[in-house]
């Protein structure tokens, strides 16, 4: 007796959800099939089994949430030609423009609208002003909330209302100790600053609060299934999150934690772990990725870097300089005329810096964690947030908004899409920045306020 056709979803790889309808792979999200990311720094922690590899390649639709290479992976794109590509409605339209030029068939999804993809699978997109997006998948009446790297910025209240419409909901989101961002900071004396990930705060406790705040039935860890392979970034492997770490501290009366790699049947509401094999751990010289730490910049490189940073108006309002230390030589870039008191030094190899400037992907250098970052002057505890990374990597590189007028127009578009949610989010982000500036993250007051925040979020909406 043959088993019934599979209608459900699988979570595999770094951040891939595959939705199935009667044994047909309908859509695959953010497929990173193999190879590396972030200038060779990242590789997948676990292999994607051949069954899921084949399903991704055969899926009718592919969804890309945003442009980071562990979600939109350049090395995986050749295998996806011929698939219909669905995209969030990101202001600037960079991903659509680039994929159209590469010969892909792309379709931008209007925010907050359900799109049927098959008889039992439909999707809804929620784009945010950080150039990321949520994808909601209705699979046979079960809701998958695929937040990936997004925090549901500007959509929290709406998202909670959607979740309440379903008897069963699953949240999959970036979670872990926090190495999936720039953590390679140094003191001016040259000593590395221990990252917040070194505290190894129980991941499960954070997951439980998120699941309860959104009111979902299940949580699946996502978007942090990587390890470092470059010799100059391998130090960060100490701070990656292992599969067994996600359950530490998890306790919830309303939600269950599922394995990171899982097959969920949306007819029977049962799940089966996929248990893919762990990829072997190897270290590779940065020279294999075109990076010689002794190489110098030329005159054209320096001019390109000066143009790149000076065009971002907000930087000149918040800091005095950016210095690029390449091949042991400093190249200071002044952002305003008065003194050199507040600024940043990035120590980075010439090859990857040149590529990052050419293709406007500076975030790839930050997240790769081989570039060394030193802050000078007075900076908030959140370091490069909110005044550097968002303005350079998100609004400028991807949103194409650099001047004051461009930024005003950029944010006004997102605000018009969801005025109340946008206003609440901006107020929330502003309050978070004030609190982080006043209280140390390990203080009793900060921890109390954090717990209070999650209780309020769970109660509101």
């Amino acid at each position: 007796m043959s088993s019934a056709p599979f209608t459900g979803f699988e979570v595999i790889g770094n951040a891939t959800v595959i939705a199935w309808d009667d044994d047909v792979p309908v859509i695959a999200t953010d497929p990173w099939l193999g190879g590396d990311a972030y200038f060779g720094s990242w590789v997948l922690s676990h292999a994607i089994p051949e069954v899921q590899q084949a399903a991704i390649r055969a899926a009718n639709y592919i969804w890309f949430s945003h442009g980071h290479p562990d979600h939109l992976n350049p090395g995986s794109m050749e295998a996806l030609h011929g698939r219909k590509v669905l995209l969030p409605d990101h202001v600037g339209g960079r991903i659509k423009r680039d994929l159209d030029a590469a010969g892909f068939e792309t379709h931008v999804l209007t925010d907050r609208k359900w799109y049927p993809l098959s008889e039992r699978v439909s999707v809804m997109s929620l784009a945010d002003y950080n150039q990321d997006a949520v994808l909601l998948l209705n699979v046979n009446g079960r809701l998958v909330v695929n937040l990936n790297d997004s925090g549901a910025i500007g959509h929290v209240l709406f998202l909670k209302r959607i979740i309440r419409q379903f008897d069963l909901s699953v949240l999959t989101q970036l979670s872990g100790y926090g190495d999936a961002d720039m953590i390679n900071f140094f003191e001016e004396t040259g000593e590395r600053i221990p990252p917040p990930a070194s505290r190894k705060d129980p991941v499960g406790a954070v997951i439980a609060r998120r699941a309860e705040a959104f009111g979902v039935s299940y949580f699946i860890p996502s978007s942090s299934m990587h390890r470092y392979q470059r010799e100059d970034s391998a130090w960060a492997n100490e701070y990656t999150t292992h599969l067994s770490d996600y359950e530490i501290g998890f306790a919830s009366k309303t939600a269950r934690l599922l394995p990171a790699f899982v097959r969920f049947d949306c007819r029977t509401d049962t799940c089966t772990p996929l248990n893919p094999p762990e990829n072997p751990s190897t270290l590779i010289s940065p020279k294999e990725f075109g990076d010689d730490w002794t190489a110098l910049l030329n005159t054209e490189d320096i001019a390109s870097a000066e143009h790149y940073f000076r065009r971002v108006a907000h930087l000149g309002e918040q800091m005095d300089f950016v210095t690029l230390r390449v091949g042991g030589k400093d190249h200071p870039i002044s952002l305003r005329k008065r003194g050199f008191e507040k600024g940043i030094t990035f120590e980075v190899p010439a090859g990857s810096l040149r590529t990052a400037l050419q293709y406007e992907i500076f975030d790839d250098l930050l997240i790769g964690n081989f570039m060394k970052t030193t802050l000078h002057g007075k900076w908030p505890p959140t370091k490069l947030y909110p005044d550097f990374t968002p303005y350079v990597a998100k609004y400028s590189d991807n949103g194409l908004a650099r001047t004051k007028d461009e930024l005003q127009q950029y944010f006004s578009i997102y605000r018009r899409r969801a005025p109340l949610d946008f206003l609440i989010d901006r107020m929330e982000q502003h309050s978070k920045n004030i609190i982080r500036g006043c209280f140390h993250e390990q203080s009793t007051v900060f921890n109390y306020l954090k717990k209070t925040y999650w209780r309020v979020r769970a109660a509101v909406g």
Side-chain angles (χ1 to χ4, degrees):
M1 183 177 178
S2 61
S3 60
F6 177 62
T7 295
F9 64 91
E10 296 173 312
V11 181
I12 197 67
N14 178 61
T16 297
V17 177
I18 308 169
W20 295 76
D21 189 349
D22 269 3
D23 284 340
V24 175
V26 177
I27 183 171
T29 71
D30 291 342
W32 175 14
L33 297 173
D36 56 62
Y38 300 109
F39 301 103
S41 185
W42 285 27
V43 289
L44 289 167
S45 62
H46 292 72
I48 298 179
E50 184 53 42
V51 171
Q52 284 72 39
Q53 287 266 0
I56 293 169
R57 289 178 168 88
N60 297 330
Y61 300 91
I62 300 294
W63 156 267
F64 294 113
S65 59
H66 64 293
H68 283 160
D70 58 318
H71 294 260
L72 199 168
N73 183 255
S76 302
M77 295 305 296
E78 183 61 33
L80 303 175
H81 266 291
R83 308 299 96 197
K84 295 179 180 178
V85 176
L86 306 181
L87 298 172
D89 191 7
H90 290 311
V91 174
R94 176 178 178 176
I95 296 176
K96 176 175 172 56
R97 183 182 67 246
D98 291 350
L99 291 183
D100 285 348
F104 287 89
E105 178 187 345
T106 63
H107 303 269
V108 173
L109 305 185
T110 301
D111 276 3
R112 303 191 176 196
K113 176 182 176 182
W114 284 108
Y115 289 83
L117 304 183
S118 71
E119 183 179 351
R120 282 169 285 271
V121 176
S122 58
V123 298
M124 178 190 290
S125 172
L126 306 174
D128 67 50
Y129 60 77
N130 265 356
Q131 293 286 312
D132 206 329
V134 179
L135 187 69
L136 303 179
L137 301 98
N138 181 344
V139 184
N140 197 41
R142 278 69 176 129
L143 180 68
V144 181
V145 183
N146 180 19
L147 258 64
N148 63 87
D149 294 1
S150 170
I153 294 173
H155 296 288
V156 171
L157 294 181
F158 174 80
L159 188 54
K160 291 179 71 173
R161 290 196 295 271
I162 294 293
I163 291 171
R164 286 198 298 269
Q165 296 172 15
F166 289 79
D167 294 331
L168 188 150
S169 53
V170 182
L171 173 62
T172 177
Q173 184 185 15
L174 170 68
S175 47
Y177 293 124
D179 75 288
D181 205 341
M182 160 59 91
I183 61 171
N184 199 17
F185 288 97
F186 283 74
E187 301 280 7
E188 290 181 311
T189 58
E191 298 176 357
R192 177 175 280 123
I193 300 173
S198 64
R199 301 194 302 263
K200 298 293 178 80
D201 294 333
V203 178
V206 177
I207 288 174
R209 288 196 291 267
R210 289 178 184 170
E212 291 179 345
F214 280 106
V216 295
S217 314
Y218 298 94
F219 187 99
I220 300 176
S222 175
S223 302
S224 52
M225 312 311 174
H226 63 271
R227 70 160 55 98
Y228 296 84
Q229 68 170 358
R230 282 177 57 134
E231 291 175 346
D232 50 7
S233 64
W235 66 274
N237 279 320
E238 181 180 350
Y239 306 110
T240 56
T241 312
H242 300 284
L243 296 185
S244 59
D245 295 333
Y246 293 103
E247 64 188 36
I248 298 175
F250 185 89
S252 173
K253 295 180 180 179
T254 59
R256 283 182 55 196
L257 176 64
L258 296 181
F261 308 119
V262 69
R263 178 179 175 93
F264 194 100
D265 191 315
C266 290
R267 281 195 168 106
T268 63
D269 295 337
T270 57
C271 65
T272 305
L274 291 176
N275 298 320
E278 191 169 355
N279 281 323
S281 178
T282 58
L283 292 183
I284 301 176
S285 168
K287 291 184 178 180
E288 295 296 317
F289 305 104
D291 274 339
D292 180 352
W293 279 87
T294 66
L296 298 172
L297 297 179
N298 58 38
T299 302
E300 185 179 345
D301 296 330
I302 296 170
S304 175
E306 290 175 346
H307 170 72
Y308 179 85
F309 289 109
R310 285 174 178 163
R311 68 182 181 175
V312 182
H314 185 80
L315 296 185
E317 298 171 357
Q318 298 297 323
M319 61 198 73
D320 303 319
F321 66 94
V322 170
T323 294
L324 301 176
R325 182 171 296 156
V326 183
K329 184 176 181 180
D330 283 359
H331 303 277
I333 300 170
S334 60
L335 300 175
R336 50 187 176 186
K337 294 181 179 180
R338 60 188 179 86
F340 270 35
E341 296 179 1
K342 181 180 179 182
I344 313 171
T345 294
F346 293 115
E347 185 173 354
V348 57
S352 56
L353 173 63
R354 189 174 293 119
T355 301
L357 296 177
Q358 178 183 353
Y359 293 101
E360 300 178 338
I361 50 172
F362 199 80
D363 219 9
D364 290 12
L365 288 177
L366 296 170
I367 299 173
N369 278 317
F370 54 87
M371 180 171 71
K372 302 176 181 179
T373 300
T374 302
L375 302 180
H376 310 276
K378 188 176 181 180
W379 286 79
T382 48
K383 297 182 172 66
L384 297 180
Y385 290 87
D387 290 319
F388 182 86
T389 300
Y391 284 90
V392 172
K394 316 221 183 267
Y395 315 148
S396 175
D397 278 356
N398 293 316
L400 312 181
R402 288 138 189 166
T403 67
K404 282 186 176 181
D405 288 343
E406 289 169 345
L407 283 167
Q408 184 176 14
Q409 182 179 8
Y410 177 87
F411 284 109
S412 71
I413 293 173
Y414 285 106
R415 182 173 59 248
R416 287 196 300 269
R417 293 178 183 178
L420 178 59
D421 292 85
F422 182 91
L423 176 62
I424 291 173
D425 175 78
R426 297 298 278 176
M427 293 173 60
E428 181 180 309
Q429 294 302 321
H430 182 66
S431 299
K432 284 182 179 178
N433 291 334
I434 292 175
I435 290 172
R436 285 169 175 157
C438 295
F439 303 102
H440 191 276
E441 288 189 356
Q442 290 301 293
S443 69
T444 301
V445 174
F446 183 88
N447 287 325
Y448 173 79
L449 291 173
K450 183 167 65 174
K451 291 178 181 178
T452 301
Y453 162 78
W454 284 109
R455 285 197 295 268
V456 170
R457 173 172 270 202
V460 174

